[in-house]
Amino acid sequence: RHNRLCHRSHQNLDNPHPALHAAMTPITDWLDEILLSVASWLSAADLTAFQSTCKRLAALPTDVACWRRLCEAAWQDKPRYRLTPERERWLQLNLPLQSWRARYIFFEQDSKRQLITDTELISLNWYFNYSPQAGGMGKRTLQRVEFTETHLRMQNYPLLPWRLEPSELPAQSNRTPVAPEGRLGRFGPLTMIQNLMQALLSASPLPPKEQVLLIANFPPHRVQRKPDDWEWLIQNDNVIFVSALDESCITYNERGFLESPQHAVEAHD
């Protein structure tokens, strides 16, 4: 009996079970299909580490199979960035030479940027409301406003001049050229994104800095980036501006922006 067991053990080592055989095979000898299947389960950080292991793994075609999926997951809860067919067409038109990995890295790093550009202020959709202490009543006083190249246009006010301070853009100008009509879309200015992408992919991002928006003779408005959906929040004690793809996509509801505190209390009661 002992001899039979030894014989079977030798047979198992000579002809191992397929699963055991796979486990004994170096990962660099695995088929691309298996490696891509493994890679598809990894986070962005783990996928980067995985492909940094050796040349074979670095050469895997993970851009569409993995990085596009990571982009889709990361942008799903951010309406202006969500990978809809319209958004994907915009990326193909405006950033055609960038890989999905490059796009992922760019937008992740850009989401930490705290300085808004003139071009973004002009091109994005903006919604305005008063704070409760200044007479804000939620959606009853919510309005869409527009920044032109020189003035803020809003209901019940004359045109109001505006400027951003401090100037943190390249020395030659605080203005980023606006892309031609039809290449701007609802997602952001082409020239600005291309310039930022080139800078971010070739160097470390600058540390965040404070920035204010000055409108006519009103108190300064602090500029902030919303971490949940990467939109912009500009506010002072009396008013709030929020960027959004459209009104239905507004997620900010602090300081009675969408719902007045009194209405919220009544609804709760």
Side-chain angles (χ1 to χ4, degrees), residues 201-248:
L201 293 177
S202 61
S204 300
L206 295 174
K209 297 180 181 179
E210 294 290 328
Q211 185 183 40
V212 294
L213 172 66
L214 302 179
I215 300 175
N217 60 346
F218 293 103
H221 305 74
R222 183 186 177 193
V223 178
Q224 299 169 274
R225 194 75 176 268
K226 293 172 71 261
D228 57 341
D229 59 4
W230 301 349
E231 293 293 350
W232 294 94
L233 172 65
I234 302 177
Q235 61 182 331
N236 61 19
D237 290 341
N238 300 315
V239 301
I240 307 121
F241 298 86
V242 174
S243 68
L245 189 61
D246 54 53
E247 185 174 338
S248 67

